Amino acid sequence: MTVLGKTKFCGTKGTNPRQKSFIAIQLNMDIFQAIVARKSSRSYLKKIVEEEKINAIVKAGNMASVSAKLFITVITNQEVLKEIALETKKMFLESGSEALVARAKNPTFNALYGAPVLILLTVEKTSQLSVDRNNVASAGCAAENMMLTATALGLGSCYMYAPVPAFSNPEIRKKVGIASDQDALCTVIVGYSADLSPHPPRKPAVNVRYCK
């Protein structure tokens, strides 16, 4: 595991996650194109995501507008990812929810959809409701930055809460390197999407109000 500031990289031995400038990365679209094109990808190719692209995505997350002290953990170790997926499946089966149990019993079910990269966002634990709300909002801002950057780099991504409870497992926390005083808030999976179809047409917005 390699630690760079608030970012941890949990990958295979030999990984050298050096921070690189966005200038070295060729973005495939501008920001609004990325917003329009972004969709939740739930099927991934068995293709490794380049280190430079992962670093650009992480840098985008760290440049988000936040009011919390966020910690970013990047997991590319396939054995650890398999453990997280299995722990999530186990929790689905024990949830008591008919819908979740049915999903987990599907022979093709993979809690992480086969994504080769999982990015976990954590914060320092707090008992203050106002701080907790700010933490959740901050994590959402960072996650959106990362997903838009992934889209602009030709990658698929998906915002996920489902794997978060798996990080309450002491063994998984230890392998990933999450401090005991941190809470997991959300995850973003990233990879080369197996589904290249465009985002379905969006319905006209009816939830906007202008006070002029």
Side-chain angles (χ1 to χ4, degrees):
M1 179 182 298
T2 304
V3 180
L4 292 173
K6 296 185 296 180
T7 305
K8 296 179 182 179
F9 293 80
C10 178
T12 54
K13 292 182 179 180
T15 301
N16 180 25
R18 295 169 295 173
Q19 293 285 34
K20 299 184 179 181
S21 169
F22 277 126
I23 298 175
I25 302 294
Q26 179 63 50
L27 298 178
N28 296 331
M29 58 188 73
D30 64 30
I31 185 63
F32 191 74
Q33 289 175 320
I35 290 172
V36 173
R38 188 214 63 78
K39 70 173 187 176
S40 296
S41 297
R42 296 182 174 89
S43 179
Y44 293 88
L45 301 175
K46 293 182 178 180
K47 181 178 178 181
I48 296 175
V49 178
E50 297 84 346
E51 178 185 311
E52 292 82 2
K53 292 188 176 183
I54 294 176
N55 289 337
I57 291 168
V58 169
K59 188 171 183 178
N62 271 327
M63 295 177 73
S65 175
V66 301
S67 61
K69 186 177 181 182
L70 283 177
F71 298 88
I72 300 174
T73 301
V74 183
I75 305 168
T76 57
N77 184 303
Q78 296 304 300
E79 290 302 314
V80 174
L81 289 174
K82 183 177 179 180
E83 286 187 47
I84 294 169
L86 289 175
E87 183 68 14
T88 303
K89 180 177 181 178
K90 176 185 174 184
M91 290 184 169
F92 273 33
L93 290 170
E94 297 173 351
S95 67
S97 165
E98 290 186 11
L100 294 180
V101 171
R103 284 183 62 191
K105 285 185 176 180
N106 188 320
T108 63
F109 176 73
N110 183 323
L112 304 182
Y113 303 107
V117 181
L118 183 145
I119 302 173
L120 172 68
L121 294 171
T122 59
V123 294
E124 293 178 342
K125 292 182 179 179
T126 179
S127 58
Q128 298 180 19
L129 180 60
S130 60
V131 174
D132 184 59
R133 287 174 174 172
N134 280 332
N135 287 345
V136 172
S138 294
C141 288
E144 182 71 2
N145 269 19
M146 291 192 285
M147 290 187 291
L148 292 177
T149 302
T151 301
L153 291 172
L155 298 166
S157 65
C158 186
Y159 175 95
M160 295 186 68
Y161 177 79
V164 168
F167 292 97
S168 62
N169 181 308
E171 289 298 317
I172 291 177
R173 288 183 72 94
K174 182 178 180 180
K175 289 182 180 181
V176 175
I178 304 174
S180 59
D181 64 347
Q182 291 180 23
D183 276 332
L185 292 183
C186 65
T187 69
V188 174
I189 53 174
V190 177
Y192 282 93
S193 180
D195 177 12
L196 299 180
S197 61
H199 194 292
R202 291 176 169 84
K203 297 179 180 179
V206 295
N207 61 337
V208 181
R209 179 184 297 112
Y210 293 91
C211 180
K212 299 182 179 180

